[in-house]
């Protein structure tokens, strides 16, 4: 499929920021934090719970900002400015990890929460730019390509980090190596965001008005008061609220869970890399299958796979079990995220895309507060991480059932 320069530049942004997802959220930071927390006398279960709480707090803060920022960004020129602001916040706070002392587990969690705000905030506007760079008929493919190339691109700095760690080619300490990983992530993110800054522009917008912030609040409250006019969108958002919570929680907490099972840090890194590589073709496949079978059935298939993952987690005892779970996650993580994003883009008013993507992100981000907190609480109460992961099955079941009642909308009069 031939892509435009705008589509390629938009996809390249996923290539850029996904390095944060794998290097910081999933791999390096959780392992580094677990080591610092252990040195401070925290048990594995308590450090897992605290990491879950940090994810929840950071997500809560950006969720509170998402709707109004999205509403303001519907004005011409604002979307890209907000995107850049949060991108730089994420990049600079990632660099700041290198200044955390070896016993500063609390400071590390605070900085991580700030970097998460930057990453998640930038993605609110990145997602909303999807409707500016492509058409409805190409959204599934472009959205899937974004996630797929994100997995592939993020694997490159990850592989470089693995090589440095495995070979010991640099005569430096493990802490210094981790700091190099943090810097590599930030530089990768910044460098490959350049095509987006250069080529992607806001096409659908509202012309600026006097007092844009005040007017945006009025527009937001008007939407909330008349939300009943968008019943299908609301139903989708509620379903999304539940099932994407489970997806995000498994992604964020996988490494910590693996450590609790006794899997070595080196093996965890290899497993995560293989998961990334599996996710690349799998996400592309989801996009192609959606062209043939439509988007909704493919999202339901992915939800069913995650239910199987949650059930399987109860019986996990070995490294092989974790391998099998990781492969299952790799087959569907990108697909369910990409198709959810494009599905939503098809059913919302284009000129108010940022406002509605603000709701999309607040539902997604607020759900990510519940999941890690649920996992942390169940793990803390039972002392068994497996039961914490298994509890997430509730989220997938509720989300899947609700999504069954979301109607397909192809030709809406506001598109």
């Amino acid at each position: 499929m031939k892509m435009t320069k705008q589509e390629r530049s938009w996809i390249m942004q996923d290539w850029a920021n996904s390095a944060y997802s794998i290097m910081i959220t999933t791999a390096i930071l959780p392992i580094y934090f677990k080591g610092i927390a252990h040195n401070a006398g925290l048990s594995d279960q308590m450090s897992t719970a605290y990491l879950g709480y940090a994810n929840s707090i950071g997500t809560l803060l950006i969720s509170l900002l998402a709707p109004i920022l999205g509403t303001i960004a519907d004005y011409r020129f604002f979307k890209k400015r907000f995107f850049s602001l949060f991108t730089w916040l994420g990049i600079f706070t990632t660099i700041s990890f290198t200044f955390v002392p070896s016993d500063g587990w609390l400071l590390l969690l605070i900085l991580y929460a700030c970097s998460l705000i930057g990453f998640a905030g930038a993605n609110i506007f990145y997602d909303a730019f999807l409707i500016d760079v492509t058409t409805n008929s190409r959204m599934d493919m472009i959205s899937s390509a974004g996630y797929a190339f994100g997995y592939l691109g993020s694997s490159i700095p990850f592989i470089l980090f693995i090589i440095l760690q495995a070979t010991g080619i640099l005569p430096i300490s493990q802490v210094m190596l981790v700091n190099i990983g943090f810097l590599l992530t930030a530089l990768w993110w910044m460098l490959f965001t350049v095509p987006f800054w250069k080529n992607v522009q806001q096409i659908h917008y509202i012309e600026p008005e006097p007092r844009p912030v005040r007017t945006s609040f009025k527009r937001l409250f008007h939407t909330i008061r008349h939300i009943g006019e968008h019943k299908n969108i609301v139903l989708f958002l509620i379903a999304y609220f539940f099932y994407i919570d489970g997806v995000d929680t498994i992604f964020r907490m996988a490494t910590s869970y693996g450590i609790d099972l006794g899997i070595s840090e080196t093996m965890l890194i290899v497993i995560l890399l293989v998961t990334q590589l599996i996710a690349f073709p799998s996400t592309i496949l989801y996009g192609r299958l959606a062209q043939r079978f439509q988007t909704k059935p493919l999202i339901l298939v992915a939800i069913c796979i995650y239910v199987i993952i949650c059930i399987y987690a109860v019986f996990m005892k070995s490294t092989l079990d974790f391998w099998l779970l990781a492969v299952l996650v790799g087959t569907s993580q990108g697909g369910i995220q990409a198709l959810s994003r494009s599905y939503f883009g098809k059913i919302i008013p284009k000129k108010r895309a940022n406002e509605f993507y603000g709701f999309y992100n607040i539902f997604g981000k607020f759900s990510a507060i519940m999941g890690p907190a649920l996992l942390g609480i169940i793990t803390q109460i039972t002392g068994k991480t497996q039961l914490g992961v298994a509890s997430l099955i509730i989220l997938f079941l509720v989300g899947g059932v609700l999504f069954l009642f979301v109607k397909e909308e192809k030709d809406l009069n506001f598109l």
Side-chain angles (χ1 to χ4, degrees), residues 30-62:
I31 293 174
Y32 186 54
F33 169 73
K34 296 286 278 191
I36 289 180
H38 180 76
N39 293 336
L42 295 179
S43 68
D44 288 339
Q45 287 73 27
M46 287 302 297
S47 61
T48 296
Y50 286 146
L51 184 60
Y53 299 150
N55 276 303
S56 295
I57 292 171
T59 302
L60 171 63
L61 293 176
I62 188 58

PDB file of all heavy atoms in Angstrom, residues 30-62:
ATOM      1  N   PRO A  30      11.274  -0.644  35.237  1.00  0.00           N
ATOM      2  CA  PRO A  30      10.782  -1.562  36.270  1.00  0.00           C
ATOM      3  C   PRO A  30      11.884  -2.403  36.901  1.00  0.00           C
ATOM      4  O   PRO A  30      11.908  -2.599  38.116  1.00  0.00           O
ATOM      5  CB  PRO A  30       9.782  -2.445  35.502  1.00  0.00           C
ATOM      6  CG  PRO A  30       9.318  -1.593  34.386  1.00  0.00           C
ATOM      7  CD  PRO A  30      10.525  -0.802  33.986  1.00  0.00           C
ATOM      8  N   ILE A  31      12.813  -2.903  36.076  1.00  0.00           N
ATOM      9  CA  ILE A  31      13.913  -3.703  36.610  1.00  0.00           C
ATOM     10  C   ILE A  31      14.813  -2.848  37.496  1.00  0.00           C
ATOM     11  O   ILE A  31      15.211  -3.249  38.599  1.00  0.00           O
ATOM     12  CB  ILE A  31      14.727  -4.328  35.453  1.00  0.00           C
ATOM     13  CG1 ILE A  31      13.863  -5.359  34.706  1.00  0.00           C
ATOM     14  CG2 ILE A  31      16.005  -4.975  35.979  1.00  0.00           C
ATOM     15  CD1 ILE A  31      14.518  -5.919  33.469  1.00  0.00           C
ATOM     16  N   TYR A  32      15.134  -1.642  37.022  1.00  0.00           N
ATOM     17  CA  TYR A  32      15.978  -0.730  37.790  1.00  0.00           C
ATOM     18  C   TYR A  32      15.299  -0.340  39.098  1.00  0.00           C
ATOM     19  O   TYR A  32      15.920  -0.325  40.165  1.00  0.00           O
ATOM     20  CB  TYR A  32      16.261   0.508  36.936  1.00  0.00           C
ATOM     21  CG  TYR A  32      17.239   1.497  37.539  1.00  0.00           C
ATOM     22  CD1 TYR A  32      18.501   1.085  37.962  1.00  0.00           C
ATOM     23  CD2 TYR A  32      16.902   2.848  37.647  1.00  0.00           C
ATOM     24  CE1 TYR A  32      19.405   1.996  38.494  1.00  0.00           C
ATOM     25  CE2 TYR A  32      17.794   3.762  38.174  1.00  0.00           C
ATOM     26  CZ  TYR A  32      19.047   3.330  38.598  1.00  0.00           C
ATOM     27  OH  TYR A  32      19.937   4.229  39.137  1.00  0.00           O
ATOM     28  N   PHE A  33      14.000  -0.047  39.016  1.00  0.00           N
ATOM     29  CA  PHE A  33      13.255   0.320  40.217  1.00  0.00           C
ATOM     30  C   PHE A  33      13.200  -0.827  41.216  1.00  0.00           C
ATOM     31  O   PHE A  33      13.346  -0.614  42.425  1.00  0.00           O
ATOM     32  CB  PHE A  33      11.828   0.743  39.848  1.00  0.00           C
ATOM     33  CG  PHE A  33      10.928   0.888  41.036  1.00  0.00           C
ATOM     34  CD1 PHE A  33      11.071   1.956  41.908  1.00  0.00           C
ATOM     35  CD2 PHE A  33       9.951  -0.064  41.312  1.00  0.00           C
ATOM     36  CE1 PHE A  33      10.257   2.085  43.031  1.00  0.00           C
ATOM     37  CE2 PHE A  33       9.131   0.055  42.421  1.00  0.00           C
ATOM     38  CZ  PHE A  33       9.280   1.132  43.286  1.00  0.00           C
ATOM     39  N   LYS A  34      12.992  -2.048  40.717  1.00  0.00           N
ATOM     40  CA  LYS A  34      12.937  -3.198  41.618  1.00  0.00           C
ATOM     41  C   LYS A  34      14.266  -3.352  42.369  1.00  0.00           C
ATOM     42  O   LYS A  34      14.277  -3.682  43.561  1.00  0.00           O
ATOM     43  CB  LYS A  34      12.639  -4.479  40.842  1.00  0.00           C
ATOM     44  CG  LYS A  34      11.285  -4.520  40.174  1.00  0.00           C
ATOM     45  CD  LYS A  34      10.142  -4.729  41.138  1.00  0.00           C
ATOM     46  CE  LYS A  34       9.971  -6.179  41.494  1.00  0.00           C
ATOM     47  NZ  LYS A  34       8.705  -6.430  42.227  1.00  0.00           N
ATOM     48  N   GLY A  35      15.380  -3.084  41.684  1.00  0.00           N
ATOM     49  CA  GLY A  35      16.690  -3.170  42.333  1.00  0.00           C
ATOM     50  C   GLY A  35      16.866  -2.097  43.399  1.00  0.00           C
ATOM     51  O   GLY A  35      17.340  -2.383  44.507  1.00  0.00           O
ATOM     52  N   ILE A  36      16.485  -0.858  43.083  1.00  0.00           N
ATOM     53  CA  ILE A  36      16.587   0.239  44.047  1.00  0.00           C
ATOM     54  C   ILE A  36      15.671  -0.012  45.243  1.00  0.00           C
ATOM     55  O   ILE A  36      16.057   0.194  46.400  1.00  0.00           O
ATOM     56  CB  ILE A  36      16.233   1.578  43.363  1.00  0.00           C
ATOM     57  CG1 ILE A  36      17.340   1.982  42.388  1.00  0.00           C
ATOM     58  CG2 ILE A  36      16.019   2.674  44.402  1.00  0.00           C
ATOM     59  CD1 ILE A  36      17.067   3.286  41.663  1.00  0.00           C
ATOM     60  N   ALA A  37      14.452  -0.480  44.970  1.00  0.00           N
ATOM     61  CA  ALA A  37      13.502  -0.757  46.044  1.00  0.00           C
ATOM     62  C   ALA A  37      14.005  -1.874  46.944  1.00  0.00           C
ATOM     63  O   ALA A  37      13.850  -1.823  48.176  1.00  0.00           O
ATOM     64  CB  ALA A  37      12.141  -1.124  45.454  1.00  0.00           C
ATOM     65  N   HIS A  38      14.622  -2.889  46.340  1.00  0.00           N
ATOM     66  CA  HIS A  38      15.184  -3.995  47.132  1.00  0.00           C
ATOM     67  C   HIS A  38      16.291  -3.491  48.051  1.00  0.00           C
ATOM     68  O   HIS A  38      16.381  -3.892  49.224  1.00  0.00           O
ATOM     69  CB  HIS A  38      15.719  -5.084  46.197  1.00  0.00           C
ATOM     70  CG  HIS A  38      16.316  -6.256  46.909  1.00  0.00           C
ATOM     71  ND1 HIS A  38      15.551  -7.223  47.528  1.00  0.00           N
ATOM     72  CD2 HIS A  38      17.619  -6.617  47.127  1.00  0.00           C
ATOM     73  CE1 HIS A  38      16.337  -8.123  48.082  1.00  0.00           C
ATOM     74  NE2 HIS A  38      17.592  -7.780  47.854  1.00  0.00           N
ATOM     75  N   ASN A  39      17.129  -2.611  47.525  1.00  0.00           N
ATOM     76  CA  ASN A  39      18.204  -2.033  48.348  1.00  0.00           C
ATOM     77  C   ASN A  39      17.652  -1.225  49.511  1.00  0.00           C
ATOM     78  O   ASN A  39      18.301  -1.114  50.559  1.00  0.00           O
ATOM     79  CB  ASN A  39      19.104  -1.141  47.487  1.00  0.00           C
ATOM     80  CG  ASN A  39      19.886  -1.930  46.457  1.00  0.00           C
ATOM     81  OD1 ASN A  39      20.118  -3.131  46.623  1.00  0.00           O
ATOM     82  ND2 ASN A  39      20.304  -1.266  45.394  1.00  0.00           N
ATOM     83  N   ALA A  40      16.461  -0.672  49.323  1.00  0.00           N
ATOM     84  CA  ALA A  40      15.829   0.125  50.380  1.00  0.00           C
ATOM     85  C   ALA A  40      15.030  -0.738  51.361  1.00  0.00           C
ATOM     86  O   ALA A  40      14.416  -0.208  52.294  1.00  0.00           O
ATOM     87  CB  ALA A  40      14.918   1.179  49.756  1.00  0.00           C
ATOM     88  N   GLY A  41      15.008  -2.049  51.138  1.00  0.00           N
ATOM     89  CA  GLY A  41      14.342  -2.945  52.074  1.00  0.00           C
ATOM     90  C   GLY A  41      12.899  -3.272  51.745  1.00  0.00           C
ATOM     91  O   GLY A  41      12.202  -3.878  52.568  1.00  0.00           O
ATOM     92  N   LEU A  42      12.415  -2.899  50.538  1.00  0.00           N
ATOM     93  CA  LEU A  42      11.042  -3.225  50.150  1.00  0.00           C
ATOM     94  C   LEU A  42      10.970  -4.641  49.597  1.00  0.00           C
ATOM     95  O   LEU A  42      11.870  -5.083  48.873  1.00  0.00           O
ATOM     96  CB  LEU A  42      10.533  -2.242  49.095  1.00  0.00           C
ATOM     97  CG  LEU A  42      10.366  -0.775  49.506  1.00  0.00           C
ATOM     98  CD1 LEU A  42       9.870   0.031  48.320  1.00  0.00           C
ATOM     99  CD2 LEU A  42       9.394  -0.640  50.669  1.00  0.00           C
ATOM    100  N   SER A  43       9.895  -5.366  49.911  1.00  0.00           N
ATOM    101  CA  SER A  43       9.696  -6.703  49.367  1.00  0.00           C
ATOM    102  C   SER A  43       9.324  -6.601  47.896  1.00  0.00           C
ATOM    103  O   SER A  43       8.899  -5.541  47.414  1.00  0.00           O
ATOM    104  CB  SER A  43       8.599  -7.440  50.133  1.00  0.00           C
ATOM    105  OG  SER A  43       7.337  -6.824  49.893  1.00  0.00           O
ATOM    106  N   ASP A  44       9.447  -7.718  47.170  1.00  0.00           N
ATOM    107  CA  ASP A  44       9.087  -7.728  45.758  1.00  0.00           C
ATOM    108  C   ASP A  44       7.621  -7.372  45.564  1.00  0.00           C
ATOM    109  O   ASP A  44       7.253  -6.633  44.644  1.00  0.00           O
ATOM    110  CB  ASP A  44       9.373  -9.105  45.152  1.00  0.00           C
ATOM    111  CG  ASP A  44      10.865  -9.365  44.978  1.00  0.00           C
ATOM    112  OD1 ASP A  44      11.635  -8.387  44.944  1.00  0.00           O
ATOM    113  OD2 ASP A  44      11.244 -10.546  44.869  1.00  0.00           O
ATOM    114  N   GLN A  45       6.758  -7.913  46.437  1.00  0.00           N
ATOM    115  CA  GLN A  45       5.323  -7.649  46.301  1.00  0.00           C
ATOM    116  C   GLN A  45       4.999  -6.179  46.561  1.00  0.00           C
ATOM    117  O   GLN A  45       4.187  -5.568  45.852  1.00  0.00           O
ATOM    118  CB  GLN A  45       4.526  -8.536  47.265  1.00  0.00           C
ATOM    119  CG  GLN A  45       4.458 -10.007  46.863  1.00  0.00           C
ATOM    120  CD  GLN A  45       5.779 -10.740  47.066  1.00  0.00           C
ATOM    121  OE1 GLN A  45       6.590 -10.366  47.927  1.00  0.00           O
ATOM    122  NE2 GLN A  45       6.003 -11.780  46.282  1.00  0.00           N
ATOM    123  N   MET A  46       5.662  -5.571  47.563  1.00  0.00           N
ATOM    124  CA  MET A  46       5.390  -4.173  47.874  1.00  0.00           C
ATOM    125  C   MET A  46       5.888  -3.253  46.765  1.00  0.00           C
ATOM    126  O   MET A  46       5.216  -2.289  46.397  1.00  0.00           O
ATOM    127  CB  MET A  46       6.044  -3.802  49.204  1.00  0.00           C
ATOM    128  CG  MET A  46       5.351  -4.388  50.423  1.00  0.00           C
ATOM    129  SD  MET A  46       3.608  -3.893  50.551  1.00  0.00           S
ATOM    130  CE  MET A  46       3.766  -2.126  50.740  1.00  0.00           C
ATOM    131  N   SER A  47       7.058  -3.553  46.214  1.00  0.00           N
ATOM    132  CA  SER A  47       7.586  -2.712  45.134  1.00  0.00           C
ATOM    133  C   SER A  47       6.709  -2.831  43.891  1.00  0.00           C
ATOM    134  O   SER A  47       6.502  -1.852  43.167  1.00  0.00           O
ATOM    135  CB  SER A  47       9.033  -3.081  44.806  1.00  0.00           C
ATOM    136  OG  SER A  47       9.141  -4.424  44.379  1.00  0.00           O
ATOM    137  N   THR A  48       6.168  -4.027  43.628  1.00  0.00           N
ATOM    138  CA  THR A  48       5.231  -4.197  42.511  1.00  0.00           C
ATOM    139  C   THR A  48       3.990  -3.347  42.732  1.00  0.00           C
ATOM    140  O   THR A  48       3.493  -2.681  41.811  1.00  0.00           O
ATOM    141  CB  THR A  48       4.832  -5.680  42.357  1.00  0.00           C
ATOM    142  OG1 THR A  48       5.987  -6.448  42.014  1.00  0.00           O
ATOM    143  CG2 THR A  48       3.780  -5.855  41.262  1.00  0.00           C
ATOM    144  N   ALA A  49       3.482  -3.360  43.959  1.00  0.00           N
ATOM    145  CA  ALA A  49       2.291  -2.574  44.282  1.00  0.00           C
ATOM    146  C   ALA A  49       2.566  -1.081  44.126  1.00  0.00           C
ATOM    147  O   ALA A  49       1.759  -0.351  43.530  1.00  0.00           O
ATOM    148  CB  ALA A  49       1.839  -2.876  45.708  1.00  0.00           C
ATOM    149  N   TYR A  50       3.727  -0.602  44.621  1.00  0.00           N
ATOM    150  CA  TYR A  50       4.058   0.819  44.510  1.00  0.00           C
ATOM    151  C   TYR A  50       4.218   1.249  43.051  1.00  0.00           C
ATOM    152  O   TYR A  50       3.825   2.354  42.674  1.00  0.00           O
ATOM    153  CB  TYR A  50       5.336   1.127  45.294  1.00  0.00           C
ATOM    154  CG  TYR A  50       5.144   1.145  46.793  1.00  0.00           C
ATOM    155  CD1 TYR A  50       6.163   0.708  47.639  1.00  0.00           C
ATOM    156  CD2 TYR A  50       3.965   1.598  47.368  1.00  0.00           C
ATOM    157  CE1 TYR A  50       6.008   0.713  49.026  1.00  0.00           C
ATOM    158  CE2 TYR A  50       3.793   1.608  48.744  1.00  0.00           C
ATOM    159  CZ  TYR A  50       4.811   1.163  49.565  1.00  0.00           C
ATOM    160  OH  TYR A  50       4.637   1.170  50.928  1.00  0.00           O
ATOM    161  N   LEU A  51       4.799   0.374  42.229  1.00  0.00           N
ATOM    162  CA  LEU A  51       4.941   0.693  40.811  1.00  0.00           C
ATOM    163  C   LEU A  51       3.562   0.811  40.161  1.00  0.00           C
ATOM    164  O   LEU A  51       3.328   1.688  39.328  1.00  0.00           O
ATOM    165  CB  LEU A  51       5.776  -0.374  40.108  1.00  0.00           C
ATOM    166  CG  LEU A  51       6.098  -0.127  38.627  1.00  0.00           C
ATOM    167  CD1 LEU A  51       6.873   1.171  38.442  1.00  0.00           C
ATOM    168  CD2 LEU A  51       6.884  -1.305  38.044  1.00  0.00           C
ATOM    169  N   GLY A  52       2.657  -0.058  40.569  1.00  0.00           N
ATOM    170  CA  GLY A  52       1.286   0.031  40.072  1.00  0.00           C
ATOM    171  C   GLY A  52       0.625   1.336  40.477  1.00  0.00           C
ATOM    172  O   GLY A  52      -0.064   1.971  39.679  1.00  0.00           O
ATOM    173  N   TYR A  53       0.862   1.757  41.716  1.00  0.00           N
ATOM    174  CA  TYR A  53       0.282   3.022  42.186  1.00  0.00           C
ATOM    175  C   TYR A  53       0.861   4.211  41.427  1.00  0.00           C
ATOM    176  O   TYR A  53       0.142   5.178  41.106  1.00  0.00           O
ATOM    177  CB  TYR A  53       0.535   3.186  43.683  1.00  0.00           C
ATOM    178  CG  TYR A  53      -0.089   2.106  44.541  1.00  0.00           C
ATOM    179  CD1 TYR A  53       0.490   1.730  45.751  1.00  0.00           C
ATOM    180  CD2 TYR A  53      -1.258   1.454  44.144  1.00  0.00           C
ATOM    181  CE1 TYR A  53      -0.072   0.735  46.537  1.00  0.00           C
ATOM    182  CE2 TYR A  53      -1.825   0.464  44.927  1.00  0.00           C
ATOM    183  CZ  TYR A  53      -1.235   0.100  46.126  1.00  0.00           C
ATOM    184  OH  TYR A  53      -1.793  -0.882  46.902  1.00  0.00           O
ATOM    185  N   ALA A  54       2.160   4.177  41.130  1.00  0.00           N
ATOM    186  CA  ALA A  54       2.792   5.273  40.374  1.00  0.00           C
ATOM    187  C   ALA A  54       2.183   5.386  38.981  1.00  0.00           C
ATOM    188  O   ALA A  54       1.917   6.495  38.487  1.00  0.00           O
ATOM    189  CB  ALA A  54       4.298   5.056  40.273  1.00  0.00           C
ATOM    190  N   ASN A  55       1.956   4.228  38.340  1.00  0.00           N
ATOM    191  CA  ASN A  55       1.294   4.241  37.038  1.00  0.00           C
ATOM    192  C   ASN A  55      -0.104   4.848  37.145  1.00  0.00           C
ATOM    193  O   ASN A  55      -0.530   5.624  36.287  1.00  0.00           O
ATOM    194  CB  ASN A  55       1.196   2.810  36.495  1.00  0.00           C
ATOM    195  CG  ASN A  55       2.458   2.364  35.779  1.00  0.00           C
ATOM    196  OD1 ASN A  55       2.902   2.997  34.832  1.00  0.00           O
ATOM    197  ND2 ASN A  55       3.050   1.280  36.241  1.00  0.00           N
ATOM    198  N   SER A  56      -0.800   4.511  38.222  1.00  0.00           N
ATOM    199  CA  SER A  56      -2.161   5.012  38.401  1.00  0.00           C
ATOM    200  C   SER A  56      -2.189   6.514  38.630  1.00  0.00           C
ATOM    201  O   SER A  56      -3.013   7.237  38.068  1.00  0.00           O
ATOM    202  CB  SER A  56      -2.829   4.295  39.587  1.00  0.00           C
ATOM    203  OG  SER A  56      -2.989   2.925  39.320  1.00  0.00           O
ATOM    204  N   ILE A  57      -1.279   7.022  39.465  1.00  0.00           N
ATOM    205  CA  ILE A  57      -1.254   8.452  39.784  1.00  0.00           C
ATOM    206  C   ILE A  57      -0.902   9.285  38.553  1.00  0.00           C
ATOM    207  O   ILE A  57      -1.538  10.304  38.255  1.00  0.00           O
ATOM    208  CB  ILE A  57      -0.265   8.731  40.935  1.00  0.00           C
ATOM    209  CG1 ILE A  57      -0.800   8.113  42.230  1.00  0.00           C
ATOM    210  CG2 ILE A  57      -0.047  10.235  41.111  1.00  0.00           C
ATOM    211  CD1 ILE A  57       0.196   8.137  43.381  1.00  0.00           C
ATOM    212  N   GLY A  58       0.134   8.879  37.834  1.00  0.00           N
ATOM    213  CA  GLY A  58       0.518   9.611  36.627  1.00  0.00           C
ATOM    214  C   GLY A  58      -0.595   9.632  35.603  1.00  0.00           C
ATOM    215  O   GLY A  58      -0.873  10.656  34.966  1.00  0.00           O
ATOM    216  N   THR A  59      -1.268   8.496  35.473  1.00  0.00           N
ATOM    217  CA  THR A  59      -2.374   8.399  34.530  1.00  0.00           C
ATOM    218  C   THR A  59      -3.549   9.262  34.962  1.00  0.00           C
ATOM    219  O   THR A  59      -4.230   9.880  34.131  1.00  0.00           O
ATOM    220  CB  THR A  59      -2.816   6.927  34.399  1.00  0.00           C
ATOM    221  OG1 THR A  59      -1.702   6.147  33.967  1.00  0.00           O
ATOM    222  CG2 THR A  59      -3.931   6.785  33.391  1.00  0.00           C
ATOM    223  N   LEU A  60      -3.812   9.314  36.268  1.00  0.00           N
ATOM    224  CA  LEU A  60      -4.909  10.126  36.782  1.00  0.00           C
ATOM    225  C   LEU A  60      -4.717  11.596  36.431  1.00  0.00           C
ATOM    226  O   LEU A  60      -5.645  12.269  35.964  1.00  0.00           O
ATOM    227  CB  LEU A  60      -5.004   9.968  38.296  1.00  0.00           C
ATOM    228  CG  LEU A  60      -5.961  10.919  39.028  1.00  0.00           C
ATOM    229  CD1 LEU A  60      -7.393  10.680  38.554  1.00  0.00           C
ATOM    230  CD2 LEU A  60      -5.858  10.757  40.541  1.00  0.00           C
ATOM    231  N   LEU A  61      -3.511  12.103  36.610  1.00  0.00           N
ATOM    232  CA  LEU A  61      -3.252  13.522  36.363  1.00  0.00           C
ATOM    233  C   LEU A  61      -3.475  13.886  34.896  1.00  0.00           C
ATOM    234  O   LEU A  61      -4.108  14.894  34.583  1.00  0.00           O
ATOM    235  CB  LEU A  61      -1.823  13.874  36.799  1.00  0.00           C
ATOM    236  CG  LEU A  61      -1.565  13.793  38.303  1.00  0.00           C
ATOM    237  CD1 LEU A  61      -0.091  14.058  38.619  1.00  0.00           C
ATOM    238  CD2 LEU A  61      -2.451  14.776  39.066  1.00  0.00           C
ATOM    239  N   ILE A  62      -2.970  13.058  33.964  1.00  0.00           N
ATOM    240  CA  ILE A  62      -3.152  13.394  32.556  1.00  0.00           C
ATOM    241  C   ILE A  62      -4.604  13.190  32.142  1.00  0.00           C
ATOM    242  O   ILE A  62      -5.134  13.896  31.279  1.00  0.00           O
ATOM    243  CB  ILE A  62      -2.207  12.572  31.651  1.00  0.00           C
ATOM    244  CG1 ILE A  62      -2.264  13.078  30.204  1.00  0.00           C
ATOM    245  CG2 ILE A  62      -2.535  11.095  31.708  1.00  0.00           C
ATOM    246  CD1 ILE A  62      -1.908  14.541  30.028  1.00  0.00           C
TER     247      ILE A  62
END
